[in-house]
């Protein structure tokens, strides 16, 4: 845990801590959440790269489009394999968790 001033705490820090937690937590059995964790880590790593390069509106727009596309895919039952469903659920949830840090409305309103 860093001891930096909170006004120096960034979204990069949040994402890095989420990656660290996902990789090291002992709260639950990792085998039960293997696919979900894989999806989360995939999203966190993508967002970590993007957050270092993009402006807020670009970042939000990109990830809202992804979330909206995933919603349609889930609704149309395009994911039929249980492992793929779990992975993409983790991916989706990780994106929403970071978007909520930017603006809590993104937990409810995922329109671009």
């Amino acid at each position: 845990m860093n001891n930096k001033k909170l006004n120096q705490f960034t979204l990069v820090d949040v994402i890095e801590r989420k990656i660290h937690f996902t990789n090291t937590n002992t709260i639950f059995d990792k085998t039960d959440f293997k696919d979900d964790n894989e999806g989360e880590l995939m999203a966190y790593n993508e967002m970590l790269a993007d957050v270092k390069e993009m402006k807020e509106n670009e970042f939000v727009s990109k990830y809202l489009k992804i979330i909206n596309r995933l919603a349609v895919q889930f609704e149309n039952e395009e994911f039929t394999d249980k492992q793929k469903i779990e992975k993409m659920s983790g991916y989706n949830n990780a994106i929403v968790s970071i978007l909520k840090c930017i603006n809590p409305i993104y937990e409810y309103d995922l329109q671009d």
Side-chain angles (χ1 to χ4, degrees):
M1 185 80 56
N2 291 335
N3 197 23
K4 63 172 81 172
K5 288 186 171 195
L6 287 176
N7 67 352
Q8 297 171 331
F9 193 75
T10 67
L11 199 54
V12 169
D13 296 308
V14 172
I15 295 169
E16 287 175 344
R17 288 181 185 194
K18 286 185 172 279
I19 291 169
H20 178 74
F21 176 80
T22 303
N23 284 326
T24 63
N25 88 77
T26 57
I27 296 170
F28 49 83
D29 184 3
K30 285 189 181 198
T31 57
D32 291 342
F33 295 92
K34 177 185 172 292
D35 299 313
D36 186 77
N37 287 346
E38 184 180 333
E40 284 185 28
L41 290 170
M42 185 171 70
Y44 291 141
N45 283 303
E46 287 176 19
M47 290 185 290
L48 185 59
D50 287 341
V51 80
K52 294 175 181 178
E53 302 296 325
M54 293 180 162
K55 293 183 187 242
E56 179 182 345
N57 63 342
E58 294 174 282
F59 182 87
V60 168
S61 178
K62 174 181 178 175
Y63 286 98
L64 286 177
K65 286 176 185 168
I66 290 171
I67 292 296
N68 288 322
R69 186 174 59 240
L70 283 171
V72 169
Q73 290 175 301
F74 278 117
E75 190 174 301
N76 293 338
E77 298 179 355
E78 292 179 31
F79 306 122
T80 54
D81 176 73
K82 183 181 183 298
Q83 289 177 310
K84 183 72 168 181
I85 291 168
E86 291 296 320
K87 181 177 178 179
M88 297 316 291
S89 291
Y91 184 80
N92 177 81
N93 294 341
I95 293 172
V96 171
S97 76
I98 298 303
L99 289 176
K100 285 181 357 185
C101 292
I102 296 170
N103 188 335
I105 192 67
Y106 294 131
E107 182 173 11
Y108 309 101
D109 182 9
L110 299 175
Q111 299 304 310
D112 190 12

